[in-house]
């Protein structure tokens, strides 16, 4: 008996030794995803990839949308002011976000998509349809999300890019990443100059043709984005500081001249922006606590005389719980203090704002997701509607074919801008928040082929927006907004 026990013990020791000899330590793999993505199963989403960014790195967000999506982009000339329209909505009905910061101007209510360079970022996601229950004001027609994610570089990587184009188009950019796998410094900087001195032909009143060189349509943009992420391990505390400073200068391209001797006099606009954010994420066994605080400074100078400036400080906190293996709950809130300084405001327009929200993701059965989202915004001057949404998706995998059926119903809103309420004698303090409702269903099909994949997506939606705020000339309507 003792011999048998000794033999068994020796066999166990040998197996343990062999297992230890065959143990291989694997490097941790970090998979990046949008923080809110798990609560968007019923929405149509499009995400960029690294190959697309490597090819279009010198492009702007406007150029990316024109070349890679069906989103309508309205451009007031080459590299001039560009705005978008999702699903028939206006330019101010699209939220643009960088790590949760809404980049839309608080005074004008929109973003210049030609002033947002892709070179600074690592990935991009486009969410179609209303999503105020997740993101707050502005996300009525759609939302765009820009991210600069850590790569946890162990060593130093340097990337330099130089592009030349016609009409004095010169793009120069550099990215530097250095770290030891636990902390990292990531820097991206670019400079773009565009003369826009193209030639075009005009015809005078008697029929003679002349070739004219475009003047006063130059562009000069530069920016730097710096981030310092650090971590203890993959599933422990993460801390990061991110900063983005940009300076965008462009002359407003004048109308086509009708005479070769006619002066081409145009306006000029300078936009400067500073965005700072510090975030801290703490991981629990069944959830994550995410906190962030930041500062945003937006400045615009028109013709070196008219100045528009806003300062914003904000803080937010949210907690995710894995309530069960199939249910995840997120609750949180944020607050911000906004201080505008605008030459045409006749009153002090400083104010506090706040949000409270809750989101639930539940897996009904395998591959069938259900999401419930709810948000309430608090502003001192009007009542913002409660924004709920319900969405669901079901995925079928059949060999090389993947089918995803989705549906969503939601309520969205847009808070009136500072210009809407305080612009001289034209502002109206009694404006209510815009109120949108939408419903959509969609089908996505993807076939994996030997050398690639084939994907098709179809959506059917209906949308209604009440209290739509529109600025109109006094001469045409007698009023400035409705």
């Amino acid at each position: 008996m003792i011999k048998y026990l000794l033999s068994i013990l020796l066999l166990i020791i040998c197996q343990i030794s062999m297992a230890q000899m065959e143990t291989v330590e694997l490097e941790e793999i970090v998979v990046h995803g949008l923080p809110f993505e798990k609560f968007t199963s019923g929405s149509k989403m499009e995400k960029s990839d690294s190959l697309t960014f490597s090819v279009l790195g010198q492009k702007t967000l406007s150029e990316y949308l024109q070349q890679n999506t069906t989103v309508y982009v309205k451009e007031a000339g080459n590299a001039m002011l560009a705005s978008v329209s999702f699903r028939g909505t206006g330019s101010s009905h699209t939220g643009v976000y960088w790590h949760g910061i809404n980049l839309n101007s608080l005074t004008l209510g929109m973003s210049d998509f030609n002033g947002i360079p892709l070179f600074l970022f690592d990935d991009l996601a486009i969410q179609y349809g209303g999503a105020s229950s997740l993101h707050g004001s502005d996300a009525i027609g759609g939302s765009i999300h820009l991210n600069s994610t850590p790569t946890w570089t162990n060593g130093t990587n340097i990337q330099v890019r130089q592009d030349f184009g016609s009409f004095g188009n010169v793009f120069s950019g550099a990215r530097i990443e250095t770290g030891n796998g636990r902390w990292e410094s990531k820097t991206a900087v670019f400079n773009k100059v565009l003369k826009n001195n193209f030639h075009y032909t005009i015809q005078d009143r008697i029929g003679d043709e002349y070739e004219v060189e475009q003047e006063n349509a130059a562009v000069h943009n530069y920016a730097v984005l710096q981030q310092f992420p650090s971590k203890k391990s993959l599933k422990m505390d993460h801390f990061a500081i991110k900063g983005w400073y940009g300076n965008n200068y462009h002359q407003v391209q004048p109308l086509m001249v009708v005479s070769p001797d006619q002066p081409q006099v145009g306006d000029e606009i300078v936009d400067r922006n500073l965005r700072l954010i510090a975030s801290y994420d703490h991981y629990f066994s069944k959830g994550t606590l995410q906190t962030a605080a930041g500062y945003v400074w937006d400045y615009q100078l028109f013709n070196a005389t008219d100045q528009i400036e806003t300062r914003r400080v904000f803080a937010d906190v949210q907690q995710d719980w894995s309530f069960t293996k199939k249910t995840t709950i997120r609750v949180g809130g944020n607050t911000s203090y906004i201080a505008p300084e605008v030459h045409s405001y006749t009153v002090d327009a400083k104010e506090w704002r706040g949000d409270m929200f809750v989101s639930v993701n539940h897996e009904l059965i395998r591959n069938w997701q259900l999401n419930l989202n709810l948000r309430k915004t608090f502003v001192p001057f009007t009542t913002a509607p409660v924004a709920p949404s319900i969405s669901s998706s079901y995925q079928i995998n059949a060999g090389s074919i993947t089918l995803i059926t989705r549906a969503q119903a939601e309520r969205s809103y847009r808070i009136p801008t500072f210009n809407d309420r305080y612009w001289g004698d034209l502002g109206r303090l009694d404006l209510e928040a815009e109120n949108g409702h939408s419903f959509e269903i969609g089908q996505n099909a993807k076939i994996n082929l030997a050398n690639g994949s084939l994907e098709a997506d179809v959506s059917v939606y209906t949308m209604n927006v009440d209290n739509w705020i529109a600025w109109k000339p006094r001469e045409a309507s007698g009023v400035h907004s409705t």
Side-chain angles (χ1 to χ4, degrees):
M1 178 66 67
I2 296 176
K3 293 182 179 180
Y4 289 121
L5 291 176
L6 290 174
S7 299
I8 294 174
L9 180 60
L10 180 61
L11 180 61
I12 293 174
I13 293 174
C14 292
Q15 289 178 340
I16 293 175
S17 299
M18 292 177 63
Q20 290 177 341
M21 292 176 62
E22 296 177 356
T23 299
V24 178
E25 184 176 353
L26 300 176
E27 293 185 3
E28 60 190 32
I29 300 174
V30 181
V31 179
H32 297 294
L34 296 170
F36 60 87
E37 192 172 358
K38 68 178 69 175
F39 304 106
T40 63
S41 62
S43 298
K44 177 183 177 180
M45 297 277 291
E46 292 181 358
K47 301 179 69 174
S48 66
D49 53 40
S50 58
L51 177 60
T52 301
F53 264 62
S54 65
V55 174
L56 300 177
Q58 85 283 10
K59 302 292 185 179
T60 64
L61 182 54
S62 170
E63 293 170 304
Y64 174 87
L65 295 175
Q66 293 181 69
Q67 297 177 22
N68 296 275
T69 71
T70 58
V71 177
Y72 173 71
V73 179
K74 182 180 180 181
E75 210 170 19
N78 183 33
M80 299 290 108
L81 175 66
S83 58
V84 302
S85 173
F86 275 76
R87 297 185 170 181
T89 57
S91 57
S92 58
H93 295 144
T94 299
V96 185
Y97 304 91
W98 176 65
H99 294 286
I101 299 175
N102 192 341
L103 303 183
N104 284 348
S105 167
L106 292 171
T107 55
L108 190 60
M110 55 178 286
S111 293
D112 179 6
F113 286 74
N114 267 330
I116 303 176
L118 294 183
F119 188 79
L120 300 180
F121 312 106
D122 301 306
D123 54 68
L124 176 151
I126 302 171
Q127 184 177 4
Y128 291 79
S132 289
S133 59
L134 283 171
H135 314 305
S137 178
D138 300 357
I140 292 181
S143 57
I144 298 174
H145 305 268
L146 303 163
N147 288 288
S148 45
T149 55
T151 54
W152 305 119
T153 302
N154 191 359
T156 301
N157 295 324
I158 300 176
Q159 174 189 348
V160 178
R161 180 162 191 151
Q162 183 67 62
D163 294 86
F164 299 93
S166 55
F167 314 122
N169 189 355
V170 180
F171 178 93
S172 306
R175 296 169 66 105
I176 303 173
E177 301 174 2
T178 182
N180 64 2
R182 289 291 181 263
W183 65 266
E184 183 178 69
S185 171
K186 191 170 183 179
T187 306
V189 59
F190 87 97
N191 183 76
K192 178 175 181 177
V193 177
L194 175 63
K195 293 182 180 180
N196 252 342
N197 55 348
F198 55 87
H199 291 79
Y200 61 93
T201 302
I202 64 171
Q203 188 177 70
D204 63 13
R205 295 180 180 179
I206 62 175
D208 294 332
E209 292 187 347
Y210 302 90
E211 187 176 83
V212 178
E213 180 178 313
Q214 178 65 59
E215 300 175 358
N216 294 310
V219 175
H220 184 197
N221 298 340
Y222 61 88
V224 58
L225 189 148
Q226 176 68 54
Q227 60 177 348
F228 297 102
S230 65
K231 63 177 180 177
K232 293 182 179 179
S233 69
L234 182 63
K235 273 295 182 181
M236 291 184 70
D237 297 0
H238 286 198
F239 176 75
I241 297 176
K242 303 180 182 71
W244 171 14
Y245 174 78
N247 187 99
N248 298 328
Y249 166 83
H250 74 268
Q251 297 173 322
V252 180
Q253 182 176 322
L255 299 176
M256 182 184 296
V257 299
V258 296
S259 170
D261 300 324
Q262 179 181 344
Q264 301 184 44
V265 180
D267 301 310
E268 62 180 21
I269 298 176
V270 178
D271 285 295
R272 299 188 180 102
N273 309 97
L274 176 64
R275 293 123 180 174
L276 302 173
I277 182 171
S279 61
Y280 173 75
D281 300 340
H282 181 72
Y283 293 87
F284 299 93
S285 59
K286 290 189 176 182
T288 307
L289 174 65
Q290 298 175 323
T291 62
Y295 171 80
V296 179
W297 173 68
D298 296 318
Y299 172 90
Q300 184 178 93
L301 186 64
F302 180 74
N303 284 343
T305 56
D306 298 337
Q307 176 179 310
I308 295 176
E309 186 174 4
T310 59
R311 291 180 172 85
R312 180 184 2 160
V313 293
F314 66 90
D316 63 71
V317 59
Q318 58 187 30
Q319 172 74 55
D320 287 14
W321 284 286
S322 296
F323 193 69
T324 66
K325 291 183 178 181
K326 293 187 176 182
T327 305
T328 301
I329 300 176
R330 167 174 292 174
V331 295
N334 59 63
T335 184
S336 61
Y337 177 72
I338 306 167
E341 295 182 16
V342 181
H343 61 89
S344 64
Y345 291 1
T346 58
V347 298
D348 186 359
K350 298 180 178 66
E351 66 183 37
W352 285 91
R353 295 185 183 182
D355 287 69
M356 297 181 64
F357 54 87
V358 59
S359 298
V360 179
N361 171 268
H362 180 69
E363 185 179 33
L364 297 172
I365 59 175
R366 182 177 176 84
N367 294 331
W368 188 0
Q369 301 289 325
L370 175 67
N371 290 323
L372 299 172
N373 301 295
L374 183 69
R375 176 179 291 261
K376 173 61 178 175
T377 296
F378 302 92
V379 289
F381 55 88
T382 189
T383 301
V386 176
S389 69
I390 180 171
S391 61
S392 183
S393 68
Y394 182 67
Q395 178 173 319
I396 300 175
N397 299 312
S400 61
I401 301 176
T402 301
L403 300 175
I404 300 178
T405 303
R406 63 178 184 272
Q408 175 175 270
E410 60 83 33
R411 185 181 190 182
S412 53
Y413 61 91
R414 186 179 79 90
I415 301 298
T417 66
F418 282 85
N419 283 3
D420 292 335
R421 292 178 285 122
Y422 298 113
W423 189 270
D425 63 343
L426 302 179
R428 286 179 49 179
L429 298 177
D430 61 341
L431 287 174
E432 298 179 359
E434 296 182 3
N435 187 5
H437 299 81
S438 67
F439 174 78
E440 71 172 286
I441 57 174
Q443 180 70 58
N444 179 276
K446 184 176 182 179
I447 303 176
N448 294 316
L449 306 175
N451 297 319
S453 62
L454 178 64
E455 186 172 359
D457 192 281
V458 178
S459 297
V460 179
Y461 65 88
T462 178
M463 178 181 295
N464 181 71
V465 181
D466 295 323
N467 300 327
W468 189 314
I469 301 171
W471 286 73
K472 299 179 180 180
R474 283 179 179 267
E475 295 80 9
S477 64
V479 295
H480 74 282
S481 62
T482 58

